[in-house]
Amino acid sequence: MPIDGYGVLKAAVADRRIETTDTPHYQIHLKAGETDFRCAVNIRSQTSPPDLLYLAVDDFRHPVTDAVAGLADGFTPLDSKPGGAALDFVRGNLFDRTAMRPAPTSLPGPDNDLGEFLDHHVQKALNDQDARVFAFGQRWGPEDKRDKIFGFAPGNGVHDIHMNQGNTGRFTADDGVWQDGGLLIRLSSGRWIALFLAFGSQSWHTDDTTGHTIPDTGDPGPAPGPGSPDSLVRIVGALVNPVGPAPEHETVTLLNASPGRIVLDGWSIADRLKNRLPLSGTIEPGAALAVPLAPPVQLGNGGGAITLLNADGLKVDGVAYTREQASREGWTLVF
């Protein structure tokens, strides 16, 4: 079943430590008011391959930042569903998975392994008294004992700060949708940093209900496999905020990036709430197609996501946009 106690912890960084044990973690001591928390971030996998996939986005722009910015310090439970603050690496269009890279657990020398990569960014929050970390994952505690790393009492924290779907073996019990972990950092300047982790064995095409791997897509790891539909057609533009009053005539522009003709029958476009618009027709190689949108699909001016699905319901491409990007009336967003 999906993980229990999913949510986000908003807190200030008090300390951090790179743990070198049999199950190493990057440990962050966080304080929300007078309450102490430990955020335990995996930096090595118990399955093969052992190195985690890592991505840092140094200027992160996504509607989820608006969804969490106003939260009070402390842990906030989140509903595992679209349209809110919950993270989903597959459905939320948070980043391009091909940008992730394997990061070694520990290497001699400075600034060359996963704990040090994470520490580079978390130090920015440690040195900025008004910065906040938003740790998405599973809550534990409060416990009837002291924290084993930082010694505060009672023990209390958040873990599963990584992708939580498409697992293999015994970890499939943790599969679910809209329950992925991650770290967002908001600096006092207003800039957001995003840190995302996944295991190299996890699948990037998962069931919309269970989060289990959809077989025969051949896609663990950052690079799409031969059976994967990823990026055959790309979402390259969207007219989110047309000139004039509602109802607005929104469009999404698709580009056939593949060398063959793509038949769109059975394909669909989904919005942030996962409402779907059926597609039809064809796109020739290298050609673009502007698709007029119609209810129930809507592109909100307050930020949103656009996902392209093939006839099997597998994600082909996905993008997201913020309130700020959608504020210019009549302009087409280019992705």
Side-chain angles (χ1 to χ4, degrees), residues 324-335:
E324 179 184 7
Q325 290 173 306
S327 64
R328 293 204 299 169
E329 189 176 64
W331 285 80
T332 294
L333 304 183
V334 178
F335 302 107

Side-chain angles (χ1 to χ4, degrees), residues 214-281:
I214 297 174
D216 302 324
T217 53
D219 65 343
S228 172
D230 293 62
S231 301
L232 292 174
V233 178
R234 304 299 301 267
I235 300 171
V236 295
L239 181 55
V240 173
N241 187 6
V243 174
E248 299 174 320
H249 300 289
E250 301 165 342
T251 62
V252 170
T253 302
L254 307 178
L255 173 70
N256 182 359
S258 79
R261 172 187 290 182
I262 298 292
V263 178
L264 295 175
D265 295 351
W267 289 43
S268 60
I269 288 175
D271 62 18
R272 187 181 182 188
L273 296 177
K274 300 310 169 189
N275 299 310
R276 295 191 185 188
L277 175 73
L279 302 179
S280 61

Side-chain angles (χ1 to χ4, degrees), residues 53 89-90 95 97 100 163 198 202-206 219-222:
L53 303 176
F89 288 8
V90 176
F95 57 89
R97 71 181 253 207
M100 300 193 92
M163 187 175 181
Q202 288 177 308
S203 172
W204 291 81
H205 288 291
T206 59
D219 65 343

Side-chain angles (χ1 to χ4, degrees), residues 106-113 116-117:
S106 179
L107 290 176
D111 303 324
N112 58 5
D113 53 47
E116 292 166 334
F117 296 159

Side-chain angles (χ1 to χ4, degrees), residues 43-265:
I43 56 175
R44 183 176 177 84
S45 175
Q46 296 182 43
T47 61
S48 183
D51 293 342
L52 270 69
L53 303 176
Y54 167 73
L55 175 65
V57 184
D58 203 48
D59 187 12
F60 182 62
R61 303 189 183 199
H62 189 279
V64 72
T65 59
D66 286 335
V68 299
L71 294 176
D73 284 5
F75 185 83
T76 300
L78 296 176
D79 293 330
S80 294
K81 63 182 183 181
L87 302 186
D88 190 302
F89 288 8
V90 176
R91 296 158 190 83
N93 302 339
L94 295 158
F95 57 89
D96 178 359
R97 71 181 253 207
T98 62
M100 300 193 92
R101 294 291 181 269
T105 303
S106 179
L107 290 176
D111 303 324
N112 58 5
D113 53 47
L114 182 51
E116 292 166 334
F117 296 159
L118 294 167
D119 196 52
H120 170 77
H121 296 285
V122 173
Q123 278 194 67
K124 297 174 184 177
L126 179 63
N127 297 326
D128 182 345
Q129 64 178 0
D130 294 322
R132 289 294 182 271
V133 167
F134 297 76
F136 293 78
Q138 184 182 37
R139 171 76 184 269
W140 87 79
E143 302 173 318
D144 58 357
K145 58 184 178 181
R146 290 191 173 275
D147 182 75
K148 68 177 184 179
I149 303 297
F150 298 107
F152 58 79
N156 197 25
V158 179
H159 63 164
D160 287 337
I161 315 292
H162 48 67
M163 187 175 181
N164 291 307
Q165 58 183 307
N167 287 297
T168 59
R170 61 188 175 91
F171 297 105
T172 58
D174 294 334
D175 282 349
V177 298
W178 297 102
Q179 59 159 30
D180 287 329
L183 292 175
L184 303 184
I185 301 171
R186 187 188 64 191
L187 302 176
S188 59
S189 64
R191 180 164 62 91
W192 290 80
I193 299 169
L195 307 174
F196 299 115
L197 295 165
F199 298 107
S201 57
Q202 288 177 308
S203 172
W204 291 81
H205 288 291
T206 59
D207 182 87
D208 282 338
T209 301
T210 65
H212 294 328
T213 299
I214 297 174
D216 302 324
T217 53
D219 65 343
S228 172
D230 293 62
S231 301
L232 292 174
V233 178
R234 304 299 301 267
I235 300 171
V236 295
L239 181 55
V240 173
N241 187 6
V243 174
E248 299 174 320
H249 300 289
E250 301 165 342
T251 62
V252 170
T253 302
L254 307 178
L255 173 70
N256 182 359
S258 79
R261 172 187 290 182
I262 298 292
V263 178
L264 295 175
D265 295 351

